[in-house]
Amino acid sequence: MPVSLFATSLDAYQDSIAERLAAVAADGRYILGPEVASFEREFAGYLGAEHCVGVANGTDALTIALRALGLQSGDEVVVPSFTFYASAEAIVNAGGVPVFCDIDPQSFNVTRETVERAVTPRTRAIMAVHLFGNVAPVPELLELGLPVVEDAAQAAGATLDGRHAGALGTVATFSFFPSKNLPCLGDGGAIVTNDAEVAERARLLRFHGSKDKVTYEDVGYNSRLDSLQAGVLRLLLPELDGWIESRRAGAHAYEEEGLGQYVELPRPAPGCEHAYHLYVVRSERADELLETLTERGIGARAYYRRPVHLQPATARFGGTSLDLPGTAEAARTHLALPMGTQLSREHVAEVVAACAATAL
């Protein structure tokens, strides 16, 4: 049977979602307002952070977070190249210069050493991407004495030494795109921080640089989480931990079924409880494996075959002049296998059988 599971299933929540949307619509307050304020308070509480600022999407969250930190034109931000394009795009849109660093191909994340090699006197911040739900070593990065922005778009529900991703650095950002661990029904995002000044600046910037729509203190953005999405997020947030446990159970099932005989399994960072937004393995035969899985109707995908520093729009920030061996290895060998809240043991067995067939 076809196996293509890359998202949180909301099938069981359709009636309650419809009721919540109807209630918010009847209230008539669609932009910011009490529904958004309640979600911001509840999400900050879940993470163990002081402040949450809802915005229109995860990319805006990154851009506004950087601006809220005081990023100026020409300031450098160290960022991994093995990530979604938006991580670097936001730096450029905030006026900064992305400086691409390498990763550890086993964790898919930056390390203190790879970041430190990229730091210069012009560096103003570090962007740590918790890729695929694995948590980057934020406490070690903070030791470098620079603000750390957590790109936690793929890491809702992950923890490091008992603390939630998104409450580890100077400021963090989340996406609630429908495929994420905590989804809404369209675009949505959030900025999370323990710094009251950063939070206040983010609130200003998300609303055209104004506090009252009369006086404009800065050139900002029209980037606000709407009440309908906030209402859905409030409904689904209590389910997040259970969903993450389902994903971890799926990862454990892959291991028990012997997948590690055929590919290199995801490796959680030390102290990390992985959120498994994506279940990404490594293989020297990744493209051949992808072909076999596709032929059998099994959804699989290589996400970042061309890293960001080699993309046409960002090649001017390094391109082929950069030597990033860990990035090159991860780009060449990674493959995302089915993972989601509805992943069954039968699905897992089917995927493992396909991987075994490729290995023959």
Side-chain angles (χ1 to χ4, degrees):
M1 74 192 216
V3 183
S4 182
L5 301 165
F6 283 98
T8 300
S9 174
L10 298 181
D11 290 349
Y13 302 90
Q14 291 305 314
D15 289 345
S16 54
I17 287 173
E19 291 175 8
R20 179 60 60 90
L21 290 174
V24 175
D27 180 72
R29 289 174 287 185
Y30 306 129
I31 302 296
L32 298 179
E35 200 73 26
V36 173
S38 293
F39 170 71
E40 290 173 337
R41 183 171 58 254
E42 291 160 9
F43 192 52
Y46 169 83
L47 296 171
E50 292 295 323
H51 307 281
C52 173
V53 181
V55 294
N57 55 71
T59 305
D60 282 0
L62 284 168
T63 304
I64 293 171
L66 289 165
R67 289 273 313 274
L69 285 176
L71 194 75
Q72 300 294 313
S73 178
D75 286 348
E76 293 181 353
V77 179
V78 176
V79 61
S81 178
F82 191 71
T83 182
F84 180 54
Y85 176 72
S87 301
E89 179 186 33
I91 296 169
V92 178
N93 284 340
V97 177
V99 176
F100 294 108
C101 70
D102 210 358
I103 60 160
D104 167 18
Q106 293 184 328
S107 70
F108 298 118
N109 282 337
V110 301
T111 68
R112 173 176 173 152
E113 291 73 22
T114 63
V115 168
E116 196 164 15
R117 287 198 295 267
V119 170
T120 77
R122 297 179 297 280
T123 305
R124 294 295 176 266
I126 298 163
M127 187 176 293
V129 182
H130 302 313
L131 202 65
F132 306 139
N134 205 5
V135 183
V138 174
E140 295 178 26
L141 300 179
L142 286 168
E143 293 172 0
L144 298 175
L146 292 161
V148 175
V149 180
E150 297 177 70
D151 181 344
Q154 300 183 7
T159 63
L160 181 67
D161 295 327
R163 298 171 61 197
H164 275 283
L168 301 169
T170 312
V171 63
T173 64
F174 287 86
S175 167
F176 305 121
F177 188 78
S179 65
K180 295 298 191 288
N181 289 357
L182 177 61
C184 62
L185 302 186
D187 277 317
I191 299 162
V192 177
T193 183
N194 288 323
D195 188 318
E197 292 184 6
V198 170
E200 185 61 25
R201 176 105 175 115
R203 292 189 183 98
L204 183 81
L205 289 170
R206 76 173 174 184
F207 194 72
H208 300 286
S210 176
K211 296 176 182 176
D212 56 11
K213 210 175 181 180
V214 174
T215 302
Y216 297 87
E217 302 174 34
D218 205 337
V219 176
Y221 307 87
N222 180 16
S223 183
R224 299 163 297 194
L225 182 67
D226 69 68
S227 296
L228 291 167
Q229 301 296 359
V232 172
L233 288 165
R234 291 187 67 201
L235 176 69
L236 298 180
L237 178 58
E239 308 297 323
L240 177 57
D241 284 342
W243 290 338
I244 296 300
E245 286 307 313
S246 295
R247 290 173 176 273
R248 289 174 181 153
H252 186 60
Y254 273 127
E255 185 174 354
E256 286 190 330
E257 288 289 332
L259 182 62
Q261 300 175 64
Y262 313 112
V263 296
E264 184 173 332
L265 302 181
R267 183 175 299 184
C272 169
E273 290 289 337
H274 205 304
Y276 294 106
H277 168 62
L278 295 171
Y279 189 83
V280 182
V281 301
R282 293 199 305 146
S283 171
E284 292 294 334
R285 303 169 65 183
D287 288 336
E288 184 180 348
L289 177 56
L290 176 58
E291 185 177 343
T292 299
L293 292 166
T294 301
E295 289 174 350
R296 296 188 176 206
I298 297 173
R301 181 177 173 184
Y303 276 77
Y304 311 125
R305 279 286 185 262
R306 181 188 288 187
V308 182
H309 75 285
L310 297 177
Q311 294 292 340
T314 43
R316 59 194 166 107
F317 300 110
T320 57
S321 67
L322 292 179
D323 181 24
L324 304 176
T327 297
E329 179 181 336
R332 175 175 54 82
T333 62
H334 81 283
L335 187 67
L337 301 182
M339 171 55 69
T341 56
Q342 301 299 305
L343 186 68
S344 70
R345 197 75 182 212
E346 291 74 22
H347 294 145
V348 169
E350 187 174 347
V351 173
V352 174
C355 293
T358 303
L360 294 177

